């Protein structure tokens, strides 16, 4: 049986919880059994992609509606980190978000690019009545 | 956002007193900079040495300040970046936009 | 709608994950909206009761069997912290564990007493094919 | 468990170099103390200043060391307790069992 840690968190649709989820991501990285890379860097990256994905879910999908909720699932094995962030919005076309669209001094539009740069697989799809952004990072 | 500001002649030194810059506090930070621009201040040094984590919203707030300062013929310079924060600027290529210094003193001398 | 944070974690049946869950408990306390007491003390106490309950589940209930798993649910509102720790063991009689049974220089037997001292409600019951230790702390 | 030990005449000073003492590492700690007792050492000072968290297993390991030291006509004394660690001894009434000192020096002088 693979040694898996699974964390499933539901938070109110508020940016004040971003720090909590980021820290939980960092804690998780520090508890990984074997990892030969730089743990501090991996911890920052996990914190970052969680923060970016949840911010989008809160602000774009759930449009800051305080009655909506965000669910986050993280699954960690010695081989892979897998993250799912669920939103209750209209959805968007991930494929259309291309780096070419942006200019260096734009104030926004960096979130998805950052996620793509740091994760090995990223996709966004409908799941029941919600949407889910799925991100996978290989650890070996 | 918790800031400590100090005026050195026409330069405003802003020390960010938060561990984390993210979508939760960078909106306020943008407004705090706008208030300075409204007072006619347009030479800013942002000391990031207390900041351990910055996301794209935090970077966006800094870009906003940078553009506002430049539009007023001033400038916004950064200093005190921790290594992981520094690498965020490289990841997003923003190290080619900002003037980044090691210390407050070096940033100040460059004006 | 009450502002609730829910965390549901599943870990392998190993004591090496105790620190992770304890830290997540501390992170959660630091993200609580209103809390007028000493947060550092509450964070330590939550870390402690999680550690005690999970240690019992790993060592007594799941008897260090590496194929078993431990599930932990934490639910935090501004009024209450509620914790559930599920084990896959034979179960035991919580009511029979009384402080009178122990002597100051015993090496073990302090876990349940600590949990009872720090939490407002503690009970242990069968739940489907598992057992669950439920602990509630009032925050106001 | 990560320990730093130093011998001062017939006293062994053990500095615990872990932030956390719990069921994951206190079994090993008990064995490490047993190894010292086997070598005939029975006067121990345990410096807990690095320890931020201790649970009932950690306390149990200390009680085990205490009883073994006493049985050999020696003693086990504690020092450097952080406030939250100190309150664990009060919660479990173990502050009435152990001799607890502020510093290593005070513990050492008491022998
Ligand atoms: N979960 C989501 N639901 C709806 N739209 C989204 C979602 N995530 C991203 N988007 C869309 O993609 C755009 C780019 O997102 P991102 O790269 O994170 O930059 P930013 O959030 O700064 O605009 C957003 O402006 C938004 O239109
Ligand atoms: N989840 C559990 N499943 C089975 N037995 C348990 C469980 N939790 C506690 N016990 C029983 O209760 C006893 C007392 O537990 P505790 O007070 O934590 O002290 P200790 O674990 O040091 O013995 C244990 O020794 C064990 O027999």
């Amino acid at each position: 049986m693979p040694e898996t840690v699974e964390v499933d968190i539901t938070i109110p649709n508020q940016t004040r919880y971003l720090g909590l989820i980021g820290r939980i991501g960092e804690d998780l990285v520090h508890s990984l059994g074997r990892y030969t890379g730089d743990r501090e860097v991996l911890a920052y990256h996990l914190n970052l992609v969680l923060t970016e994905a949840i911010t989008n879910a809160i602000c774009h999908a759930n449009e800051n509606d305080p009655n909506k909720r965000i669910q986050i699932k993280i699954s960690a094995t010695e081989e892979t980190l897998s993250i799912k962030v669920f939103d209750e919005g209209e959805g968007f076309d991930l494929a259309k978000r291309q780096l070419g669209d942006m200019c260096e001094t734009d104030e926004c539009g960096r979130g998805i690019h950052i996620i793509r740069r740091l994760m090995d697989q990223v996709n966004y799809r409908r799941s029941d009545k919600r949407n889910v952004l799925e991100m996978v990072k290989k650890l070996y | 956002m918790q800031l400590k500001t100090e005026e050195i002649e026409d330069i405003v030194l802003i020390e960010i007193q938060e561990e984390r810059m993210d979508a939760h506090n960078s909106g306020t930070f943008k407004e705090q900079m706008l208030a300075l621009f409204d007072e006619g201040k347009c030479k800013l040094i942002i000391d990031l040495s207390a900041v351990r984590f910055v996301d794209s919203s935090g970077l966006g707030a800094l870009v906003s300040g940078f553009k506002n300062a430049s539009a007023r013929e001033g400038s916004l310079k950064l200093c005190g970046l921790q290594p992981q924060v520094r690498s965020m600027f490289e990841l997003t290529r923003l190290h080619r936009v900002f003037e980044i210094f090691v210390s407050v003193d070096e940033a100040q001398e460059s004006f």
Side-chain angles (χ1 to χ4, degrees), chain A, chain B:
Chain A
M1 189 188 225
E3 218 176 271
T4 313
V5 176
E6 284 177 271
V7 183
D8 183 338
I9 314 172
T10 307
I11 51 168
N13 195 46
Q14 294 174 25
T15 53
R16 57 182 298 268
Y17 295 101
L18 288 170
L20 169 65
I21 313 300
R23 265 193 305 280
I24 292 178
E26 296 211 355
D27 293 341
L28 203 57
V29 168
H30 289 294
S31 83
L32 287 174
R34 278 194 289 257
Y35 179 68
T36 51
D38 185 328
R39 260 174 218 266
E40 290 300 331
V41 169
L42 183 64
Y44 192 107
H45 288 174
L46 183 57
N47 187 340
L48 184 60
V49 298
L50 284 164
T51 302
E52 297 294 345
I54 299 168
T55 300
N56 282 349
I58 294 174
C59 304
H60 301 307
N62 293 1
E63 295 171 307
N64 294 300
D65 177 345
N67 292 317
K68 292 194 168 169
R69 293 173 67 77
I70 303 287
Q71 187 180 6
I72 303 110
K73 292 189 187 192
I74 313 173
S75 167
T77 68
E78 291 190 341
E79 279 85 40
T80 356
L81 272 179
S82 147
I83 303 165
K84 294 192 175 85
V85 175
F86 295 83
D87 70 56
E88 303 174 23
E90 298 290 306
F92 76 110
D93 189 348
L94 179 66
K96 288 226 176 95
R97 306 293 319 168
Q98 295 303 331
L99 196 54
D101 304 346
M102 79 171 289
C103 133
E104 266 171 8
T105 53
D106 281 350
E107 280 177 42
C108 16
R110 288 182 184 83
I112 300 285
H113 300 315
I114 288 175
I115 292 173
R116 281 206 179 107
R117 279 288 302 276
L118 300 180
M119 302 301 280
D120 295 303
Q121 287 168 34
V122 183
N123 79 295
Y124 185 80
R125 61 179 175 81
R126 198 85 195 149
S127 160
D128 288 322
K129 285 173 184 156
R130 299 186 296 174
N131 305 294
V132 56
L133 181 70
E134 294 177 308
M135 301 168 276
V136 177
K137 177 147 190 103
K138 302 201 187 93
L139 298 180
Y140 55 91
Chain B
M1 175 125 83
Q2 195 69 37
L3 306 178
K4 194 179 135 201
T5 60
E6 188 186 332
E7 303 200 15
I8 312 160
E9 291 166 27
D10 61 341
I11 300 170
V12 185
L13 169 62
I14 303 177
E15 193 189 305
I16 305 219
Q17 297 185 314
E18 302 273 353
E19 238 205 33
R20 217 180 131 86
M21 287 178 78
D22 64 16
H24 187 55
N25 56 16
S26 46
T28 335
F29 177 48
K30 241 158 79 171
E31 284 163 26
Q32 288 165 312
M33 285 188 291
L34 284 176
L36 291 173
F37 295 128
D38 283 348
E39 292 172 26
K41 314 220 154 81
C42 61
K43 292 186 183 171
L44 310 186
I45 299 174
I46 316 279
D47 179 356
L48 292 168
S49 47
V51 177
R52 203 181 70 74
F53 178 88
V54 62
D55 76 347
S56 70
S57 316
L59 295 175
L62 292 169
V63 169
S64 156
F66 172 84
K67 290 199 290 190
N68 275 301
S70 306
R72 286 163 177 79
E73 323 252 289
S75 56
L76 180 151
K77 309 192 184 207
L78 305 176
C79 67
L81 280 65
Q82 295 188 18
Q84 303 244 60
V85 169
R86 163 90 208 178
S87 65
M88 280 298 292
F89 284 82
E90 280 154 22
L91 184 71
T92 55
R93 294 200 260 166
L94 283 170
H95 63 299
R96 305 195 306 192
V97 171
F98 289 98
E99 284 182 78
I100 300 179
F101 299 88
V102 173
S103 65
V104 172
D105 286 353
E106 282 179 39
Q108 200 182 323
E109 276 162 28
S110 76
F111 273 98

